[in-house]
Amino acid sequence: MSSLVIHSGRVVTPQSVLDPGYVVVEGSTIAQVGEGSPPPCERAIDAAGLWVLPGFIDIHCHGGGGRSFQEADEEAIRVALAAHLRGGTTGIVPAIAACGREERHACLDALRNGVTSLNFNLRDAEPSVGPGPRLKFKDVTPAVLGAYVEGPYFADKERGAQPLGLIRPPDPEDYRPPLREFGELIRVWALAPELPGALEFIRELREHGVVPALGHSDASEEHVEAAIAAGARLVTHLYCAQSTFHRVGAEKRLGLAEMGLLREELVVEVIADSKHLTPNLLRLVLKSKPPSQVCLITDAMPAAGMPPGEYEFLGERVWVTDEVAYRADRERYAGSVLTMAAAVRNVAAQGADMVAVAEMAALTPARVAGVDRRKGSLEAGKDADVVLMDEGLEVRQVVVRGRTA
Ligand SMILES: [Zn+2]
C-alpha cells in the first residue's frame, strides 16, 4: 500500500491547529494526524507555510466551467466537477433547480451514474475489471455525494431565479415517484413551508432520509415553527429569496431568515461572496450561529470559473461579472460564481478562525449530506480529502481520496 505524508504545515483538525502538524495517508484513507515530526513515508509533500485543511464539501452547486449539472450530460458533470476541484471542493451535492418531472428524472439519473462511476474510479480499481462505469473519468474529481432538489414547491413571490410557471404547492403524485426511485441519492429537498401540503411533504422527506430545507419562501414565524416540528433542518441560502424581518400592523415579526438564525435545529446555508450577503450581514450570521450550524455553499451557476460576459442559466440570459451573476434587469442576482476557496477567504476575512472555517466549509456540510463518518475533517479513518492553502488562502494543492490533483 502506498503511503504519503503531508508535513510541516498548519494542520486544521476539528479541535485545534497543529503547527507544525502532519497527515499520514495510506491508500485513500487518513491513517494518522499528529503534531511535530512525522513518521517516514514513501512520498512526502512539504506543506511548510501552508494551511492543511479538510477537502471542502459544497452541498448546493448548479455547475461551473461553463456547464450545468442540470444538462444531465456526463461531459457537463465532469467539466463542472473539475471547475470546482480547483476551488478546493472534494465532495459536491449537485443542485437541480425547479423543473418539470421528466427533466428532474433525467438529471437524477445522470447524477446516479456519476456517483457510481466516481466511487469506482476513486477506489484506484483497475479500469478494465468488472462491468465498468458508464462514465470514464480519468482525472481526479470531487466525489458526487448525492443530489439537492430545489422545489418546484416555492412561493411565487420569492422564486428568485427559479423559473415561473413551474412553481406550485407540493403534490404527492409529483414527489413520491422520485423519492421511491432516487431516495438514496437525494440528500436535500428545498421547499416553502407555508404552502398547502408542505408539512406532510416534510414528514415524507424525513421518512426517506432526505433533509428538508426551507427556501424560496414567504414563511411567517409560525410556518417555520411548524416546519421544524415536522422535521425541517436546513435553510436554503439564508437571506436570499426568503421572508425577513417585517411588521404586521404595529408588531415586529421575524421572517424565515431570522428564524434560521434563532433556532438551533436549523443549519443555515450561506453564500459568502460578499454580494448575496454583504460583509456586515455575513458577520451577523457568524455572530449568531456556531460553526456547527453554518454551512458554506457556492450555489454556483455554470459561469463559475469562466470569464465575465453574458450566459444563459435556467432559460434566461444572465450577466456575469467576476463577482456575481445578475439577471437581465441587473437589479437581482441570478446565482453566484463562487468557489469554496473564495467563500473560505471571505469568512476568514470577517474574523472566523481556521478551525471554525474548516467546520463551516467541510464538517457541517458533511453532516448535512450524511457523509461525516467518512468525510469533513482531518481525522484517522476518514477519506484522505485534503486542501493545501497558502497565507492568502489560495489553493495550492488538492488531494482527493489520497490522489493528488
Ligand atoms: Zn440553488
Side-chain angles (χ1 to χ4, degrees):
M1 189 175 274
S2 67
S3 65
L4 164 74
V5 63
I6 302 165
H7 64 86
S8 309
R10 283 173 286 190
V11 175
V12 183
T13 75
Q15 296 78 33
S16 62
V17 177
L18 310 176
D19 184 16
Y22 61 85
V23 177
V24 176
V25 175
E26 296 280 358
S28 62
T29 309
I30 297 172
Q32 203 185 330
V33 178
E35 194 161 18
S37 310
C41 287
E42 285 167 34
R43 290 184 300 139
I45 296 175
D46 185 349
L50 301 179
W51 293 101
V52 182
L53 293 152
F56 306 139
I57 295 179
D58 185 1
I59 63 157
H60 187 159
C61 178
H62 292 270
R67 303 299 296 269
S68 164
F69 291 117
Q70 201 135 351
E71 290 176 54
D73 175 86
E74 300 169 354
E75 176 68 8
I77 293 173
R78 193 190 68 74
V79 170
L81 289 175
H84 286 282
L85 181 71
R86 286 189 280 276
T89 298
T90 58
I92 202 161
V93 182
I96 302 169
C99 61
R101 202 183 290 202
E102 278 168 27
E103 184 180 348
R104 184 176 59 206
H105 188 279
C107 293
L108 289 168
D109 204 40
L111 290 176
R112 182 159 61 189
N113 289 330
V115 171
T116 313
S117 60
L118 284 166
N119 290 343
F120 177 87
N121 273 286
L122 294 176
R123 222 172 267 148
D124 288 330
E126 289 292 325
S128 56
V129 172
R134 272 178 56 196
L135 296 183
K136 298 276 189 222
F137 290 168
K138 292 195 186 77
D139 311 324
V140 177
T141 67
V144 175
L145 302 175
Y148 187 122
V149 183
E150 291 194 273
Y153 321 126
F154 289 149
D156 273 350
K157 189 182 160 203
E158 298 288 358
R159 72 184 175 93
Q162 307 280 336
L164 198 61
L166 297 161
I167 302 300
R168 60 199 169 101
D171 171 7
E173 282 187 27
D174 184 60
Y175 65 68
R176 278 186 189 145
L179 279 179
R180 268 196 299 272
E181 187 171 353
F182 298 101
E184 283 181 10
L185 176 73
I186 300 170
R187 302 314 313 151
V188 181
W189 199 321
L191 70 142
E194 68 273 24
L195 299 177
L199 299 181
E200 178 56 33
F201 178 46
I202 289 172
R203 283 188 281 268
E204 288 196 36
L205 289 175
R206 290 295 297 257
E207 282 165 23
H208 283 85
V210 179
V211 176
L214 308 179
H216 293 281
S217 158
D218 193 30
S220 68
E221 294 178 24
E222 291 75 16
H223 292 134
V224 179
E225 279 164 353
I228 292 170
R233 289 296 175 267
L234 187 65
V235 178
T236 300
H237 40 56
L238 188 78
Y239 276 107
C240 305
Q242 58 199 245
S243 53
T244 59
F245 181 82
H246 60 286
R247 277 172 189 270
V248 175
E251 202 174 87
K252 296 164 194 74
R253 307 283 294 170
L254 306 186
L256 170 55
E258 293 78 22
M259 289 298 283
L261 295 182
L262 179 68
R263 291 294 297 258
E264 57 195 26
E265 297 92 334
L266 295 173
V267 172
V268 298
E269 297 176 1
V270 168
I271 309 174
D273 63 355
S274 15
K275 289 290 196 177
H276 285 81
L277 273 72
T278 61
N280 277 340
L281 190 47
L282 178 58
R283 270 168 63 194
L284 178 68
V285 174
L286 297 177
K287 241 182 144 164
S288 308
K289 299 284 270 186
S292 60
Q293 293 169 30
V294 177
C295 185
L296 300 186
I297 59 162
T298 65
D299 196 21
M301 48 87 69
M306 299 292 284
E310 267 187 80
Y311 292 85
E312 196 187 299
F313 182 46
L314 303 176
E316 284 187 38
R317 300 298 290 172
V318 297
W319 179 252
V320 174
T321 71
D322 52 7
E323 292 179 310
V324 75
Y326 292 95
R327 294 171 67 182
D329 60 11
R330 311 267 173 109
E331 300 274 314
R332 290 163 295 167
Y333 299 135
S336 92
V337 291
L338 264 184
T339 60
M340 287 297 283
V344 158
R345 283 192 291 277
N346 289 334
V347 291
Q350 295 309 324
D353 66 69
M354 290 308 282
V355 171
V357 168
E359 186 164 0
M360 293 186 281
L363 190 53
T364 301
R367 286 196 195 105
V368 175
V371 297
D372 53 303
R373 287 205 326 212
R374 275 185 53 191
K375 292 183 183 291
S377 56
L378 298 178
E379 291 177 275
K382 287 197 177 185
D383 288 351
D385 297 337
V386 188
V387 180
L388 305 187
M389 293 183 114
D390 62 20
E391 281 291 342
L393 297 178
E394 298 286 344
V395 174
R396 297 292 289 271
Q397 186 148 32
V398 185
V399 177
V400 184
R401 297 195 73 204
R403 293 172 61 184
T404 47

